[in-house]
Amino acid sequence: MTGKPLGILAAGGTLPGELAKKVVKNGRDIFVVGIDGVASDELREFPHAFVSIGQIGRIFSSFEKAGCRELVVIGRFDRPDLSAIKLDATAVMNAPRLRRILKGGDDAVLTGVFKFLEDKGFQVLGIHDVAPSMLAGGAEIQTRNATSDELEDITAGFSALRGMSEFDIGQSLVVINGRIVAVEAAEGTDAMLQRVGELRKTGRIPRKSGNGILVKTAKHGQDLRADIPVIGTETLNNINAAGLTGLAVEAGRVIIAQVEQFSAALKTHKLAFHIEPSNGDR
């Protein structure tokens, strides 16, 4: 890393603010470019510029003026419809390329954005490069250990995710008594957990059918700068509401949002939290 400020291209949610605070606490200057109407106003407490999504040229010039050569792209963002956005001159000149990028799947879109930024002379980093304590295994969390039955479900879950990783169908699943009862698809983890709860209500999953574990990790071969899985208190609330008893993630390959609140929610719901040693890129 350089001694120059870290640039943070910030979309929505709490993660951009968490990252900014971590990096500053670790002694590095930052400059935030927030997407107007999407990024949190709390980011304005740091050196910043807020721009509309169509101001591609201003995004570049803001980072350049701040002396940033290394960037992190972080936060929730729905892909835009370029035809409905007012584009600046840089965006207009690059519109064909931007349209091609936006036609891909989620991982392909982010990879295309990274390549676009790198072609402009920036180096794109991931959270694992600049704030590894935000990842599973990077901060100590006190919770109960998984039982032997839960560990069997965890083993089955990671085995299944390894087998499915070549398909772009999600990053988590639910295992109950060794049986995979739900796999995350386009709806996301929280919606999948709500679906598990509905299956319990309708009797498709018996109410007394054992423990039940959410297993979550990044896909095999995934660029860890792009769409790395995130867990937070909402995930834990939905795990509890679905009648599950624990959560398992892979070290270094899942972000834990708001770790103090996350730890408190684990205790409140009496959930097991298992961190599987990283198997690298499998």
Side-chain angles (χ1 to χ4, degrees), residues 139-159:
E140 185 175 349
I141 296 176
Q142 298 294 328
T143 184
R144 73 169 179 85
N145 294 326
T147 66
S148 58
D149 287 343
E150 289 169 336
L151 286 172
E152 288 181 7
D153 282 350
I154 289 167
T155 298
F158 278 115
S159 177

Side-chain angles (χ1 to χ4, degrees), residues 74-143:
I74 186 169
R76 294 195 311 267
F77 191 75
D78 295 328
R79 69 181 68 193
D81 177 2
L82 288 182
S83 64
I85 295 174
K86 184 177 181 180
L87 305 179
D88 67 9
T90 302
V92 170
M93 287 189 295
N94 289 277
R97 182 176 181 181
L98 294 173
R99 288 194 180 92
R100 288 195 300 272
I101 290 172
L102 293 173
K103 287 181 179 178
D106 289 347
D107 289 352
V109 168
L110 285 169
T111 300
V113 169
F114 297 160
K115 182 65 167 60
F116 185 61
L117 291 168
E118 288 169 343
D119 287 347
K120 300 300 180 181
F122 298 102
Q123 180 182 2
V124 181
L125 304 177
I127 288 180
H128 58 289
D129 296 309
V130 297
S133 64
M134 291 178 65
L135 301 174
E140 185 175 349
I141 296 176
Q142 298 294 328
T143 184

Side-chain angles (χ1 to χ4, degrees), residues 214-227:
L214 172 70
V215 182
K216 190 174 183 77
T217 190
K219 295 186 287 289
H220 170 72
Q222 180 170 330
D223 184 342
L224 292 182
R225 301 172 302 171
D227 193 30

Side-chain angles (χ1 to χ4, degrees), residues 2 4-5 7 63-64 67-71 120-124:
T2 71
K4 295 181 179 181
F63 283 132
E64 288 168 352
C68 301
R69 303 315 303 168
E70 295 178 336
L71 308 180
K120 300 300 180 181
F122 298 102
Q123 180 182 2
V124 181

